[in-house]
Amino acid sequence: MLVAEQQEDSLAITPFRDDAPLDISLANVREVFPITRRRAYLNNASIAPASTPVMSAMQHFMSDVRDNGRNHYPRWCDYAETAIKARVGAMIGAKQSEIAFVKNTTEGLVAVANGLQWRKGDNVLLPDIEYPSNVYCWMKLAKLGVEIRWIKAKNGRILLEDIAALMDSRTRLLSLSAVQFSSGFKQDLAAVSELCMARKVLLNLDAIQWVGNQALNLADVHVDFMSFGGHKWLLAPIGTGIFYCNEKSIDLLDPPSVGYHTVDRGEAHLDYNLEYRPGAARFEEALANFPGIWGLDAAVRMHLAVTPIAAQERISSIVTYAAESLQSQGWRIISPRSHPNETSGLLSFAKDNLDAERAEKDLSAAGVDLAVRAGALRISPSFYNNEDDIDRMMAALNGY
Ligand SMILES: Cc1ncc(COP(=O)(O)O)c(C=O)c1O
């Protein structure tokens, strides 16, 4: 054994990586979410509860820092850049070089808004029901002479013909949620992507309500940029997220924040040369949130073990069960459900004269967690939920 290797081994009291296969399937996944023993947690579209594999991966990383300080730093960087990004890529059909770690969805959206070279008179298309993360970064461009054209939602749906009607020769970009946070409307990504390509308009997705809820294969659908935080359907820690930048579109963005990680100079700190590193890693300007990224990796491995298609089917069957149960008790379903391709894991429902805030509090006291959006109640079951959770919610709703 080489001397350097011996020294490294003496440091490795705690291995920094954990590649052991996760023995998780739909049959046993509930066991790794301790919250399921106490509550019917139906609020994954807000902040998902932590699972034991995520907790243990973060603990694993921090134990290495405890035992070894920065000694494994180059190996952390390499592992995050290769193994972890490869797994994220496998989940969404992207290359690892197209993936950057970010702290949340908003950071990725802002990188696109502030990274593109705008000309006065350009316009951006936005649905008028977007979460504010996908609004303020575009509003800020008004001072550069960029116009927002609002796509008016119809009953929570964003129609392709309404998008097309707003496009003209100055339309640079369409930015929209792949799944809408309030109505749960699921966009037909293939159709939107085709429209954008035909009209030479860039497509930017807020995918935080999609990834982990619906399966996605970016090899089949052209998307220029996409951002999603980890803390909802991905079941990853707060403060983690992914910015996807299509390799064909990366040179359209000038990284809005630059630092020592934007370039490829290694430890040559005084060798200043602002030449961007290849790939989306140029958007990670400095030291990343490795404990969070380790947790995100565990969550991604869980999704890969369950498989995104099986997760989507499971979520869909729980939501269908909930919709039928609710309708049989006189509840009105607000989320679009007339077309199966428009439905997602988010389901909003209401009744006439419903005091949604009060209902949410009452349900919480009964151990059922959901959210209030636009005066309606909204549930968002993940693949670890089950029909018992819905039955518990229905029992708690009795009397409303
Ligand atoms: C559609 C959508 N986009 C963005 C966000 C905010 O995400 P982040 O905190 O990761 O920026 C939310 C949070 O509810 C959301 O629903």
Side-chain angles (χ1 to χ4, degrees):
M1 195 188 266
L2 298 172
V3 175
E5 278 179 10
Q6 270 171 353
Q7 280 173 348
E8 210 163 66
D9 274 358
S10 79
L11 292 168
I13 298 164
T14 309
F16 70 90
R17 53 192 283 171
D18 178 10
D19 282 340
L22 276 183
D23 181 22
I24 285 182
S25 66
L26 282 179
N28 65 7
V29 69
R30 211 166 158 81
E31 289 162 24
V32 299
F33 283 87
I35 198 170
T36 57
R37 297 199 269 281
R38 294 181 298 107
R39 304 187 68 80
Y41 193 83
L42 298 167
N43 203 11
N44 298 286
S46 183
I47 296 181
S51 63
T52 47
V54 165
M55 302 281 291
S56 121
M58 295 176 82
Q59 172 78 28
H60 211 80
F61 180 84
M62 288 312 296
S63 302
D64 183 34
V65 185
R66 178 197 61 206
D67 296 342
N68 300 308
R70 71 87 74 190
N71 282 301
H72 288 144
Y73 171 70
R75 291 166 68 182
W76 301 334
C77 295
D78 183 56
Y79 187 65
E81 190 58 30
T82 54
I84 299 184
K85 284 192 180 176
R87 285 193 276 266
V88 175
M91 184 175 168
I92 59 174
K95 298 184 178 146
Q96 68 195 63
S97 60
E98 295 176 310
I99 287 161
F101 297 118
V102 286
K103 63 179 180 298
N104 50 39
T105 321
T106 308
E107 186 180 355
L109 297 169
V110 167
V112 178
N114 292 350
L116 285 169
Q117 309 302 299
W118 299 98
R119 292 176 304 259
K120 192 166 186 290
D122 285 345
N123 66 68
V124 170
L125 307 188
L126 289 186
D128 67 353
I129 52 170
E130 286 294 307
Y131 196 81
S133 307
N134 189 30
V135 175
Y136 293 141
C137 57
W138 310 110
M139 285 180 128
K140 193 163 178 289
L141 301 178
K143 59 175 183 269
L144 301 179
V146 177
E147 178 200 353
I148 294 179
R149 293 195 175 170
W150 297 102
I151 309 157
K152 290 202 183 343
K154 295 188 175 135
N155 293 327
R157 304 162 80 227
I158 308 298
L159 305 183
L160 200 65
E161 57 263 35
D162 292 340
I163 302 175
L166 289 171
M167 287 179 170
D168 67 12
S169 61
R170 298 306 306 274
T171 306
R172 293 283 304 287
L173 177 130
L174 165 66
S175 189
L176 87 178
S177 288
V179 169
Q180 287 295 336
F181 80 100
S182 186
S183 67
F185 174 73
K186 175 179 152 188
Q187 204 74 49
D188 180 343
L189 291 186
V192 165
S193 168
E194 270 172 36
L195 172 68
C196 285
M197 281 199 294
R199 304 291 285 266
K200 298 196 168 31
V201 169
L202 296 168
L203 177 58
N204 180 42
L205 294 181
D206 174 340
I208 193 169
Q209 297 292 5
W210 182 298
V211 178
N213 165 359
Q214 303 291 303
L216 177 65
N217 187 355
L218 290 171
D220 293 343
V221 46
H222 177 92
V223 171
D224 293 287
F225 314 111
M226 184 177 94
S227 305
F228 54 99
H231 61 276
K232 299 186 192 286
W233 300 91
L234 194 58
L235 312 170
I238 295 168
T240 62
I242 299 296
F243 174 50
Y244 161 84
C245 185
N246 190 312
E247 63 185 0
K248 299 194 185 80
S249 316
I250 192 164
D251 290 331
L252 298 173
L253 295 186
D254 195 20
S257 16
V258 293
Y260 60 87
H261 199 89
T262 315
V263 299
D264 209 357
R265 317 301 295 169
E267 297 290 314
H269 297 311
L270 299 183
D271 184 9
Y272 307 134
N273 182 349
L274 185 53
E275 189 185 318
Y276 302 146
R277 67 169 62 230
R282 68 182 62 175
F283 298 104
E284 299 157 6
E285 68 277 31
L287 194 56
N289 169 14
F290 283 128
I293 289 168
W294 258 238
L296 178 141
D297 182 42
V300 167
R301 287 165 67 208
M302 202 154 50
H303 283 274
L304 291 173
V306 165
T307 82
I309 296 274
Q312 174 175 332
E313 282 166 2
R314 180 82 193 106
I315 290 168
S316 166
S317 83
I318 299 171
V319 166
T320 301
Y321 179 74
E324 287 168 2
S325 308
L326 286 159
Q327 278 167 321
S328 74
Q329 297 299 315
W331 290 86
R332 198 171 62 249
I333 304 298
I334 313 282
S335 296
R337 286 192 69 74
S338 50
H339 196 292
N341 290 343
E342 296 176 349
T343 64
S344 71
L346 292 97
L347 188 77
S348 287
F349 53 95
K351 262 188 181 170
D352 291 343
N353 305 320
L354 171 73
D355 181 345
E357 313 282 345
R358 210 192 98 215
E360 183 208 12
K361 284 196 180 64
D362 288 350
L363 265 74
S364 174
V368 178
D369 298 297
L370 43 60
V372 177
R373 292 289 179 273
L377 298 174
R378 183 196 74 179
I379 57 166
S380 46
S382 174
F383 59 76
Y384 69 82
N385 289 109
N386 65 14
E387 282 74 7
D388 292 348
D389 293 331
I390 302 301
D391 291 345
R392 188 166 171 186
M393 173 185 80
M394 293 309 301
L397 282 173
N398 207 357
Y400 267 94

